């Protein structure tokens, strides 16, 4: 059994990039907020590091990238292309794993090749046609003669948009500072009622048990890819186009949970019970049996119903900001990137 709050997994990224919005403020390697102490790469003058140790650590991944950046400055590619190229070069060097620790039982061997890409689904998705064409063009342009085949680019692209995590800084603003591919954590499946949570310490991704988990196994450990405050249909509408599955988790399978999420407080001042609304009909209070709902109460509920989606939309826009910096206009968002 894994106890609530216990560490289940800790992982460094297989590959990661800093968002351009944080360039000049944070170290490209460790993402530390050190704007007054950063030192630029003397070759490309694009990447910056907090000290020589970080620069040396980053060099093996930055070396090839540095050559391309020098040739393309100032028209450097966005973060998605640079992350793809870093992963491609790393695989070519024969590096297939990332440093990580976990306490799961029966945990399988994991390399970048085990990460699912859904390449064929993406290739045949009409909504992705323009985005795929753009990412292929931009990657070929950046990597030039080093560029792999279109199928190989699409394979890595699929792995990224299906599995990448937005890296968060929970203590400073903005919250979203970069993105990374984490081989171990992306093995965990989705649930709208997750039993594990993800936090970050720099670029290290930590998975902790949100509740007691009876079976200490990755197959029984769930994170959420969707916005948990959203109603069921909103969650499903996000998951289907992004991950190609219709969610049937325990949260989505229970109509009462969704109705409770959309309920309002009983108008009786002495009662705190919820009032369930099915369609346009308010159900009697199960606690005080109140069933006389005034026109003011009903209009107030209607106003809240109209107002709530606007608030939810704002939350989505804040979260999308972190995703769009990674994928911009050339890909669909990775909802795993929602978590921090």
């Amino acid at each position: 059994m894994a106890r609530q709050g216990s560490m289940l997994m800790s992982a460094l990224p297989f590959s990661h990039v800093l968002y351009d919005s944080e360039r000049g403020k944070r170290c490209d390697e460790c993402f530390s907020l050190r704007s007054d102490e950063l030192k630029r790469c003397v070759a490309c003058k694009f990447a910056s590091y907090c000290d020589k140790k970080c620069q040396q650590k980053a060099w093996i991944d930055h070396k090839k990238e540095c050559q391309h950046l020098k040739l393309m400055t100032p028209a450097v590619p966005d973060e998605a292309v640079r992350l793809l190229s870093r992963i491609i070069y790393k695989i070519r060097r024969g590096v297939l794993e990332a440093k990580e620790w976990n306490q799961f039982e029966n945990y399988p061997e994991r390399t970048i090749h085990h990460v699912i890409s859904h390449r064929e689904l993406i290739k045949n998705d009409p909504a992705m046609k323009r985005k795929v064409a753009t990412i292929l063009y931009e990657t070929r342009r950046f990597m030039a003669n080093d560029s792999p085949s279109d199928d190989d680019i699409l394979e890595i692209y699929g792995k990224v948009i299906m599995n990448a995590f937005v890296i968060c800084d929970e203590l400073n603003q903005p919250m979203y500072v970069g993105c990374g591919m984490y081989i171990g954590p992306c093995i965990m499946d989705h649930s709208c009622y997750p039993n594990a949570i993800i936090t970050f310490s720099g670029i290290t991704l930590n998975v902790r048990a949100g509740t007691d988990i009876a079976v200490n196994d990755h197959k029984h450990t769930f994170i959420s890819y969707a916005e948990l405050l959203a109603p069921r249909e909103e969650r499903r509408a996000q998951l289907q186009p992004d991950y190609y599955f219709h969610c049937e988790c325990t949260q989505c399978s229970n109509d009462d949970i969704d109705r409770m999420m959309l309920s309002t407080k009983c108008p009786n001042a002495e009662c705190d019970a919820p009032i369930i609304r099915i369609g346009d009909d308010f159900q009697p209070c199960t606690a005080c049996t109140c069933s006389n709902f005034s026109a003011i109460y009903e209009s107030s509920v209607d106003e809240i119903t109209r107002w709530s989606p606007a608030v939810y939309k704002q939350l989505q826009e804040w979260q999308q900001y972190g995703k769009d910096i990674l994928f911009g206009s050339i890909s669909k968002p990775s909802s795993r990137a929602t978590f921090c």
Side-chain angles (χ1 to χ4, degrees):
M1 170 181 282
R3 295 293 184 184
Q4 181 179 16
S6 63
M7 184 79 76
L8 303 176
M9 175 179 285
S10 183
L12 287 171
F14 179 76
S15 188
H16 63 294
V17 292
L18 182 71
Y19 285 159
D20 285 343
S21 60
E22 295 299 291
R23 193 155 305 288
K25 306 173 189 176
R26 296 176 183 270
C27 173
D28 271 83
E29 173 59 23
C30 69
F31 288 10
S32 294
L33 193 60
R34 304 276 289 276
S35 58
D36 57 338
E37 301 176 24
L38 294 176
K39 297 174 177 61
R40 280 189 178 185
C41 171
V42 295
C44 67
K45 296 180 173 58
F46 182 80
S48 300
Y49 304 99
C50 57
D51 54 33
K52 193 169 183 178
K53 182 179 178 181
C54 271
Q55 185 175 21
Q56 291 174 338
K57 187 176 181 180
W59 179 242
I60 192 168
D61 289 322
H62 179 60
K63 183 177 180 179
K64 283 286 188 178
E65 174 188 68
C66 186
Q67 298 171 9
H68 297 303
L69 288 170
K70 283 192 295 182
L71 295 173
M72 296 192 68
T73 301
V76 298
D78 61 22
E79 296 91 337
V81 172
R82 289 191 288 111
L83 183 59
L84 289 179
S85 68
R86 283 180 164 222
I87 293 173
I88 290 168
Y89 280 126
K90 202 159 191 174
I91 293 173
R92 285 179 179 174
R93 296 200 313 268
V95 180
L96 304 177
E97 300 175 324
K99 185 178 180 180
E100 62 182 46
W101 167 92
N102 73 83
Q103 66 154 327
F104 292 130
E105 298 173 2
N106 304 314
Y107 185 75
E109 178 184 354
R110 294 275 292 174
T111 71
I112 188 66
H113 295 316
H114 292 100
V115 177
I116 295 173
S117 71
H118 289 311
R119 182 179 66 185
E120 294 305 315
L121 289 174
I122 294 171
K123 185 187 292 187
N124 297 317
D125 185 347
M128 293 292 290
K129 187 174 181 179
R130 183 178 64 85
K131 298 172 185 178
V132 167
T134 303
I135 198 71
L136 291 174
Y137 170 77
E138 292 294 338
T139 304
R140 289 194 299 260
R141 187 174 72 94
F142 180 57
M143 297 186 70
N145 293 334
D146 287 343
S147 180
S149 68
D150 286 355
D151 276 349
D152 287 344
I153 295 174
L154 187 55
E155 176 72 13
I156 301 301
Y157 177 60
K159 291 177 188 289
V160 169
I161 64 171
M162 290 292 125
N163 300 281
F165 289 83
V166 165
I167 298 172
C168 306
D169 183 346
E170 297 158 331
L171 300 178
N172 299 286
Q173 294 294 329
M175 183 178 290
Y176 306 118
V177 299
C179 59
M181 171 65 76
Y182 293 83
I183 295 175
C186 71
I187 197 175
M188 289 178 288
D189 287 329
H190 162 82
S191 172
C192 295
Y193 191 64
N195 57 11
I197 58 173
I198 290 174
T199 60
F200 285 91
S201 176
I203 60 173
T204 301
L205 185 154
N206 299 310
V207 182
R208 290 186 180 275
T211 63
D212 287 347
I213 302 175
V215 182
N216 188 19
D217 185 285
H218 71 277
K219 293 180 180 179
H220 294 83
T221 303
F222 300 93
I223 59 176
S224 179
Y225 307 170
E227 171 52 60
L228 297 179
L229 294 178
R232 174 175 57 192
E233 293 311 310
E234 292 281 357
R235 298 194 304 271
R236 284 176 168 172
Q238 178 185 353
L239 293 166
Q240 181 63 50
D242 288 357
Y243 293 96
Y244 304 108
F245 72 86
H246 182 78
C247 187
E248 292 289 351
C249 70
T250 55
Q251 193 85 344
C252 288
S253 302
N254 191 327
D255 291 338
D256 291 338
I257 293 177
D258 205 54
R259 290 169 182 165
M260 186 64 70
M261 286 183 67
L262 300 173
S263 66
T264 52
K265 180 185 176 299
C266 179
N268 184 345
E270 298 179 357
C271 180
D272 292 327
I275 298 297
I276 303 295
R277 187 179 187 179
I278 302 177
D280 293 330
D281 299 325
F282 291 90
Q283 305 303 302
C285 179
T286 56
C288 70
T289 69
C290 174
S291 60
N292 184 22
F293 305 109
S294 68
I296 294 177
Y297 178 81
E298 293 188 9
S299 64
S300 297
V301 172
D302 288 337
E303 183 178 354
I304 292 171
T305 303
R306 291 192 300 271
W307 172 78
S308 295
V311 174
Y312 172 61
K313 183 179 179 181
Q314 183 64 64
L315 287 172
Q316 283 184 312
E317 289 174 355
W318 288 339
Q319 292 175 339
Q320 193 65 44
Y321 169 75
K323 302 169 188 174
D324 286 346
I325 293 176
L326 167 57
F327 300 112
S329 60
I330 62 175
S331 83
K332 66 176 70 176
S334 167
S335 58
R336 290 182 194 252
T338 302
F339 295 91
C340 60

